[in-house]
Amino acid sequence: MTIYGKQEIIPAGEKIAIAEGEFVISRKALETEKSKLHCNRCGSRFSLREVRLPSGNLYCPQCVLYGRLTDRDQLVSIHREESDERPAKDQISCQWPGRLTNPQQRLADELVKCWADRQNALLWAVTGSGKTEMLFPLLERALNDGRKIALATPRIDVCRELYPRIAAAFTKAELLLRYGGSEDQWRKFDLLVCTTHQLLHFYQSFDLLIVDESDAFPYEGDPLLEFGTLQSLKPEGIRVCLSATPTERLVRTAEQEGWQILRLPQRYHRRPLVLPELVFLEGWRKLAEKPLPQLRFLRICQQLLKESRVLIFCPDISYMLVLEKMLQVKLSGRKITSVSAKDPLREEKILQMRNNHWDILLCTTVLERGVTFANVSVIVLGAEHDVFTKSVLVQIAGRVDRKGNRQNGRVVFCFQEQTSAIRKGIKEIRQMNRLAQEGCDL
Ligand SMILES: [Zn+2]
């Protein structure tokens, strides 16, 4: 089974067999240049003495998780000479039963046009605007053109949420879901849904590469992931980046390189983004011990619980676990749990939250984006903490009022000190709402 464009590691000098209509790209895995070692898979550079094995060979310590590369290896990938359009009888049509709103349809059409015009695009759309559904016409077109597509995101949770929606919409396409620890084995696919890490396995493989939430940790600021992403794209391939909170760097790149920048300030249900309420909560760090702030905090929780379920964002895991214990005692009639990146039951608990099992879910910024729960309010505890950057705060606020016919969730930022991230986040939300109301672009 050949997976086109997937890099294999073989000893230098060895050849691999190919079929008619295929060709091979082979490269040295590692190259030395003056006194530096350069890794062709991840782009890292090292001085030679840092990376010498006891055997005398050189290796790349940076991407060793993807299979160790030494200077005796080559990276080879098999490619097809031509992509074939799908014959009429095998055409794929999108099975999504919903309908795009007019603004969504306009942007979806623009994306299809970018594909036809071979132009990269940045889709800058507010949280809860239905970005995934806006991709469907583009995916349908590219699939029917017989092109290979990757839809990548830095977050595993986002992958897991995207995959079933894409699979339900494109039942006839060959799809594959891959992330660190995923159960699916490598096999042929038309469309790969994966973490950005997985793109390091590919070389000049994709005709269309869509990166969702590219401003999220760990992608943003990780040169290895950026290098891998660019390498996985064919030289003539098209890139589409999606974000509700793009970084200034991404916007600048898009402007400088002449990408199409598409903006959508309105949510699909046309209600505005929920504006955070600011609560000065002195002593939030010691909520479990200090009765006064504790009482105030419990009142906030009880008030929110009357109308909705509550997500509580905490700055770190140890703080979260102490708070969880306190809440389980003080609000004993309620179902309360927590999740973090380290929690082995994370997937299960997120599913239970979706099925309305929990009243309160405490979390770290691991749930800042990608997840959709109906009928929730959110509280950010210690909104001034460093982990809560402007874009994280905007994303968190965007968890509220994503689904349903009625708005009943609230967003509460508890803090002891106002930061510029808090001020800028609120300003951005207000600005988006104003633009949506005016019915125009950003
Ligand atoms: Zn490397």
Side-chain angles (χ1 to χ4, degrees), residues 276-438:
E277 301 163 40
L278 298 181
V279 174
F280 178 73
L281 187 65
E282 197 168 10
W284 65 264
R285 281 188 183 81
K286 300 252 183 258
L287 275 186
E289 299 140 50
K290 290 193 171 172
L292 220 61
Q294 186 182 102
L295 202 64
R296 280 193 68 202
F297 180 67
L298 289 172
R299 274 204 201 117
I300 296 171
C301 290
Q302 276 157 337
Q303 230 181 38
L304 296 181
L305 283 166
K306 280 184 197 159
E307 285 273 343
S308 62
R309 297 172 302 140
V310 181
L311 275 175
I312 302 177
F313 286 83
C314 302
D316 63 64
I317 297 178
S318 56
Y319 177 84
M320 178 184 85
L321 296 177
V322 173
L323 194 69
E324 180 187 6
K325 281 215 179 81
M326 185 274 278
L327 287 173
Q328 281 167 342
V329 173
K330 298 288 175 184
L331 302 173
S332 56
R334 298 289 186 171
K335 289 183 180 154
I336 300 169
T337 191
S338 68
V339 287
S340 71
K342 290 187 182 151
D343 190 339
L345 297 175
R346 164 169 140 200
E347 207 175 339
E348 203 175 315
K349 288 174 176 174
I350 292 174
L351 195 68
Q352 290 167 340
M353 184 69 180
R354 234 174 246 149
N355 295 333
N356 298 316
H357 178 75
W358 301 105
D359 298 313
I360 297 182
L361 178 66
L362 296 102
C363 57
T364 54
T365 54
V366 69
L367 290 191
E368 107 210 4
R369 56 180 88 217
V371 290
T372 296
F373 303 119
N375 191 25
V376 287
S377 289
V378 303
I379 301 175
V380 179
L381 261 174
E384 72 266 42
H385 193 281
D386 288 350
V387 296
F388 298 120
T389 61
K390 181 204 76 180
S391 76
V392 169
L393 289 172
V394 172
Q395 289 282 357
I396 288 175
R399 296 307 100 203
V400 174
D401 192 27
R402 293 171 77 87
K403 272 185 165 176
N405 299 321
R406 195 165 78 89
Q407 145 60 17
N408 44 17
R410 286 161 58 186
V411 180
V412 179
F413 289 174
C414 297
F415 61 92
Q416 214 170 294
E417 199 183 317
Q418 227 192 89
T419 56
S420 76
I422 298 176
R423 278 191 297 274
K424 283 182 182 166
I426 290 175
K427 193 173 157 203
E428 193 170 303
I429 292 170
R430 277 186 205 279
Q431 200 180 10
M432 287 288 190
N433 282 343
R434 202 173 52 240
L435 292 168
Q437 208 181 6
E438 290 164 4

Side-chain angles (χ1 to χ4, degrees), residues 227-267:
F227 185 85
T229 302
L230 289 177
Q231 283 216 113
S232 73
L233 187 66
K234 283 187 184 168
E236 68 283 7
I238 296 301
R239 246 193 314 162
V240 175
C241 289
L242 312 180
S243 178
T245 48
T247 57
E248 282 171 25
R249 195 165 69 94
L250 176 60
V251 176
R252 213 169 36 239
T253 305
E255 283 169 352
Q256 283 168 356
E257 295 181 4
W259 298 24
Q260 180 73 265
I261 302 182
L262 304 166
R263 297 166 164 108
L264 185 61
Q266 191 175 52
R267 295 185 134 184

Side-chain angles (χ1 to χ4, degrees), residues 199-214:
L199 296 175
L200 277 160
H201 290 296
F202 292 91
Y203 186 67
Q204 300 193 353
S205 179
F206 300 106
D207 301 285
L208 173 61
L209 173 60
I210 302 172
V211 183
D212 193 9
E213 311 278 6
S214 62

